[in-house]
Amino acid sequence: MRDPFVIKTIQEKIKNLGSEPGCYIWKNAEGVVIYVGKALKLQSRVRSYLNPNQKDSKTRALHFELYDLDWIATRTEKEALLLEATLIKKYNPKFNVRLKDDKRYPFLCVSTSESYPMVFLTRKIKDNGDRYFGPFTDVKAARDSLELIHRIFPVRKTKLKLPLAKPARPCLNFHMGRCLGPCQGNVPESVYSELISQILSFLEGKKEKLVQSLRISMVEASEKMEFERAHYIKQRIERIVQIREKQTVVSLDGGDEDILGIAKRENDGQVVILEVRGGRLENKKSFPLTGLTYSDDVEVFLSFLRDYYLNVSLLPTTVILPSSAKGNYDVLLETILEKFGVSLKMKFPDGGPKKSLLRLAEKNAELSLTERILATKLCDQSVAMRELQEKLKLPNLPRSIECYDISHFQGSLPVASGVMFVEGKPYKAGYRHYKIRGYEGINDPGMMHEVIARRLSHLVNENEPLPDLIVIDGGLTQLTRACEAAIALDLGFIPMVGLAKKREEIYFPGEKDPYSFDINSPMMRLLRMVRDEAHRFGVTYQRNLRKKKTLKSVLDDVKDIGVVRRKNILRYFQSKKKVEDANLEELTQVSGIGRVLAEKIIQSIKNQKKSEPS
């Protein structure tokens, strides 16, 4: 915002602002909303954005994009907090911390507004007296929870407006003991209401109290000679206890807590909530965030807590946050108290068991963020292929990319690897290993010439299509020798480049100097992925050959080891300890190897080690 006219226009608008609370909306030159904020006093807060010498990095960044201002006054700061959340969801401003997935998470609904409630999944919350539990960030977890409830509690599953004017014949669920059958018209509301109370206790995490209540009901049923009902209750108790035993105890003093951990990378982040109910870890939820570039932990958590806890129906008594998130949450806590009647407490532990739980939440957040970023990268492969075609001036979109690498151990056992990527993803059926035939010692360029010649000859002889791009793991020398192999076969132009490891530079055929591109671009990320995969594939193959050679040399000196026993030993120790380090018990585990033969193998190993040069 450097235009004096723009500054003057905004200053005139600010004069109309009073000292009342509300939300302010900043827009850029295109009229796009770039930031939404709330303030106790609108005028003084908005005026601060016009100062270019702000210490706050977000305010400084915003200053140079501000072009227009809008605002909405409210009666209280609490109303401004709620309005801020609504406006952020509406405009999705790039400078605001917000949930990355603009979607409705599923909830479990217990339709308590009905005489005979159901339990079902929904993404819409209605203010009609129904009870909602969630949100669930994992749809599969939500469905699993619903299935579990239907398996434990005989609640109805068919949509009907009960009670019916004329009793109906019950469905198969009734005959299987999975529904009380209220459609028959002979189930008292009090009995069904007791069942719904049990389900609500289960969803609220009050499993201990629920089990105690069910045991009392089971005894009462037995005393009344209602043995079938007592049996059903006993089965319900056993299932709930099984679930309870699987849940980890993390707090001996019980209580309901949410432990929040965060992971951040540039503009993206991930918040994980570990839900502890009754002292047991019951659930994990993960939420993707964006807009974190200029935000500290206080702002990030304040934004997330506002969006999350103002939209849940079941709150814990305590929220555990990292010490970096210490800040002023008074308005949020007052709003929660006013809306839900729950006095939420916040704790910022510096040590002890709660700190350990925070680390666990942060580790889970880091894993979730890594997984999400990886998935995003895979989605970017189409962009990477278009960049490759443009930057490398390829005649066709490189849908098929092959990469070749040479691997050896100080010149011994030289091998080559070739990997294939189709549509930017690994195509394992196109992977190839090569044992070098024509070269010994260290001669990577010559070996690359041999491998490319063998690969291209095979494609021509089998009448298979040539790749859209060949990547050589190496610099100009390796690329030149690879191109010579293609020229010798008179195949015409085959797109081929070299990718040097040291500086991630790209070599083109016939050009001495390499080219540098943005190493974080989708194109370079794809090329590095292809190159690294070829290297991994080759090194793994070379190591396996060395391992087999070592094993064979050890076994050659042992009599009574034929082809079958040799194969059994090689197969057993390929994925386990080396045979040189094996003990007597391990060797006798191999099919066909008895104790006497195992002792001979161990003695052979000792003799070989003695003869090795020191």
Side-chain angles (χ1 to χ4, degrees):
M1 188 185 64
R2 299 172 181 175
D3 189 341
F5 177 76
V6 172
I7 296 175
K8 189 174 181 179
T9 303
I10 293 177
Q11 286 174 337
E12 289 297 320
K13 285 191 172 186
I14 292 175
K15 290 179 181 179
N16 297 323
L17 289 173
S19 58
E20 64 266 25
C23 290
Y24 52 93
I25 304 166
W26 286 115
K27 302 177 182 179
N28 62 14
E30 287 75 38
V32 176
V33 175
I34 56 175
Y35 187 71
V36 173
K38 69 170 181 63
L40 180 60
K41 296 181 180 180
L42 275 172
Q43 190 179 71
S44 58
R45 182 69 185 99
V46 171
R47 186 179 286 117
S48 66
Y49 286 91
L50 301 184
N51 180 10
N53 300 317
Q54 287 281 344
K55 293 182 180 179
D56 178 47
S57 59
K58 176 175 284 190
T59 306
R60 287 200 308 272
L62 265 168
H63 176 81
F64 293 98
E65 290 197 41
L66 305 182
Y67 189 85
D68 197 8
L69 169 69
D70 201 355
W71 69 88
I72 301 174
T74 59
R75 292 176 297 179
T76 65
E77 192 176 4
K78 296 174 191 174
E79 288 184 1
L81 179 74
L82 297 172
L83 178 61
E84 180 188 33
T86 302
L87 293 174
I88 289 172
K89 288 180 182 178
K90 179 179 179 181
Y91 294 114
N92 199 30
K94 70 175 186 178
F95 282 101
N96 281 100
V97 177
R98 58 205 184 277
L99 288 171
K100 189 174 181 67
D101 292 342
D102 186 20
K103 65 182 180 183
R104 292 180 181 270
Y105 292 105
F107 287 78
L108 274 178
C109 175
V110 183
S111 57
T112 48
S113 59
E114 298 181 277
S115 301
Y116 295 90
M118 292 178 61
V119 184
F120 57 91
L121 280 179
T122 182
R123 292 181 186 269
K124 295 180 180 179
I125 297 178
K126 299 178 181 179
D127 188 14
N128 60 354
D130 290 346
R131 290 288 304 277
Y132 295 90
F133 297 87
F136 288 85
T137 56
D138 185 343
V139 178
K140 183 180 182 301
R143 291 197 180 109
D144 289 345
S145 298
L146 179 62
E147 183 183 346
L148 182 64
I149 289 169
H150 283 166
R151 198 163 60 240
I152 296 175
F153 301 98
V155 65
R156 72 182 179 95
K157 303 163 185 64
T158 306
K159 288 186 177 181
L160 292 170
K161 193 172 182 180
L162 300 178
L164 298 174
K166 182 180 179 181
R169 179 180 296 177
C171 64
L172 184 61
N173 285 317
F174 171 77
H175 297 290
M176 294 174 65
R178 294 184 178 181
C179 179
L180 292 180
C183 56
Q184 300 176 93
N186 58 359
V187 179
E189 282 192 39
S190 58
V191 173
Y192 199 88
S193 179
E194 181 184 353
L195 175 67
I196 295 302
S197 296
Q198 294 171 6
I199 293 174
L200 293 174
S201 295
F202 182 85
L203 289 171
E204 289 170 357
K206 300 175 182 176
K207 297 185 178 67
E208 202 69 45
K209 292 181 180 178
L210 174 59
V211 169
Q212 292 175 4
S213 174
L214 286 172
R215 281 175 177 155
I216 293 172
S217 299
M218 181 178 67
V219 172
E220 290 176 350
S222 297
E223 290 174 349
K224 294 177 181 178
M225 309 292 283
E226 297 174 354
F227 298 116
E228 187 175 353
R229 178 168 173 262
H231 177 68
Y232 280 135
I233 295 175
K234 182 184 177 183
Q235 287 182 323
R236 206 175 304 164
I237 292 172
E238 289 173 348
R239 288 170 180 170
I240 295 171
V241 169
Q242 286 175 356
I243 296 166
R244 190 73 169 158
E245 289 174 347
K246 291 179 182 178
Q247 293 167 341
T248 307
V249 177
V250 295
S251 178
L252 295 177
D253 56 355
D256 298 343
E257 299 173 334
D258 282 356
I259 295 95
L260 275 67
I262 189 170
K264 297 185 291 185
R265 290 185 199 170
E266 299 176 354
N267 197 49
D268 288 324
Q270 199 85 12
V271 168
V272 161
I273 301 177
L274 300 181
E275 291 185 344
V276 178
R277 300 294 181 263
R280 294 177 182 265
L281 180 57
E282 288 206 350
N283 196 12
K284 182 194 83 171
K285 295 178 179 177
S286 183
F287 297 86
L289 301 178
T290 190
L292 275 62
T293 300
Y294 300 103
S295 303
D296 58 20
D297 281 3
V298 176
E299 182 180 357
V300 172
F301 276 109
L302 180 59
S303 300
F304 175 77
L305 295 174
R306 176 201 63 209
D307 291 342
Y308 180 74
Y309 286 110
L310 291 178
N311 290 286
V312 297
S313 58
L314 187 64
L315 286 97
T317 56
T318 308
V319 175
I320 309 295
L321 297 170
S323 55
S324 60
K326 286 182 180 178
N328 188 350
Y329 297 91
D330 291 348
V331 177
L332 174 62
L333 295 178
E334 289 171 9
T335 306
I336 290 173
L337 178 60
E338 188 177 293
K339 183 175 182 180
F340 299 105
V342 176
S343 181
L344 193 64
K345 297 178 182 178
M346 291 190 174
K347 293 183 179 179
F348 307 87
D350 293 320
K354 304 301 182 187
K355 183 67 175 179
S356 299
L357 286 172
L358 271 174
R359 292 196 190 100
L360 179 62
E362 288 166 355
K363 183 178 180 180
N364 277 273
E366 187 65 39
L367 291 172
S368 296
L369 180 59
T370 300
E371 184 180 350
R372 177 161 64 86
I373 290 175
L374 179 61
T376 302
K377 286 180 179 179
L378 291 175
C379 292
D380 287 343
Q381 299 313 318
S382 59
V383 176
M385 290 189 294
R386 288 196 295 270
E387 280 191 10
L388 278 172
Q389 183 179 14
E390 178 186 348
K391 302 292 185 183
L392 306 187
K393 295 181 171 52
L394 304 178
N396 302 307
L397 193 69
R399 299 184 183 279
S400 172
I401 302 174
E402 294 185 9
C403 182
Y404 294 88
D405 182 34
I406 303 297
S407 181
H408 51 76
F409 182 69
Q410 297 177 350
S412 65
L413 291 176
V415 298
S417 61
V419 299
M420 180 185 294
F421 275 53
V422 177
E423 300 294 343
K425 298 178 182 178
Y427 179 65
K428 297 299 179 71
Y431 283 29
R432 296 288 184 273
H433 283 137
Y434 299 88
K435 289 183 179 179
I436 301 299
R437 301 169 181 166
Y439 294 89
E440 295 181 356
I442 301 175
N443 189 342
D444 288 15
M447 295 175 186
M448 187 63 74
H449 178 278
E450 176 186 324
V451 170
I452 297 301
R454 286 166 61 182
R455 173 59 175 165
L456 294 179
S457 297
H458 171 80
L459 293 176
V460 172
N461 294 335
E462 298 297 327
N463 198 26
E464 295 180 10
L466 298 173
D468 297 315
L469 175 66
I470 295 178
V471 179
I472 303 300
D473 184 3
L476 182 61
T477 308
Q478 286 94 328
L479 176 62
T480 301
R481 295 289 280 136
C483 291
E484 289 173 359
I487 293 171
L489 293 171
D490 196 24
L491 295 178
F493 175 71
I494 298 178
M496 201 177 298
V497 296
L499 181 59
K501 285 189 181 76
K502 191 172 182 180
R503 297 182 179 178
E504 305 292 2
E505 295 172 324
I506 294 179
Y507 285 86
F508 288 87
E511 298 189 31
K512 183 179 180 181
D513 297 322
Y515 288 78
S516 296
F517 299 94
D518 179 8
I519 60 172
N520 294 317
S521 66
M523 174 188 86
M524 289 302 297
R525 288 203 301 266
L526 177 58
L527 285 179
R528 285 201 303 274
M529 189 190 306
V530 173
R531 189 268 316 278
D532 293 345
E533 178 67 357
H535 181 70
R536 180 203 64 78
F537 192 55
V539 168
T540 303
Y541 179 53
Q542 209 274 338
R543 285 175 179 167
N544 287 337
L545 289 180
R546 279 164 48 202
K547 190 174 184 180
K548 286 183 179 180
K549 182 179 179 182
T550 303
L551 290 173
K552 286 179 181 178
S553 65
V554 170
L555 301 176
D556 285 341
D557 296 332
V558 183
K559 296 179 181 180
D560 303 323
I561 295 184
V563 176
V564 175
R565 285 172 172 168
R566 184 188 299 271
K567 285 183 177 179
N568 290 341
I569 294 172
L570 294 176
R571 188 180 299 113
Y572 184 85
F573 285 100
Q574 265 188 342
S575 58
K576 297 180 181 289
K577 288 174 60 179
K578 292 182 179 179
V579 69
E580 299 99 312
D581 300 324
N583 56 40
L584 196 65
E585 288 71 20
E586 287 176 320
L587 283 169
T588 54
Q589 296 297 317
V590 181
S591 176
I593 305 298
R595 190 175 185 85
V596 175
L597 188 53
E599 289 174 348
K600 289 182 180 180
I601 295 173
I602 289 177
Q603 186 59 47
S604 175
I605 293 170
K606 290 179 180 178
N607 294 337
Q608 189 179 67
K609 287 183 176 179
K610 288 180 182 178
S611 63
E612 289 178 353
S614 58

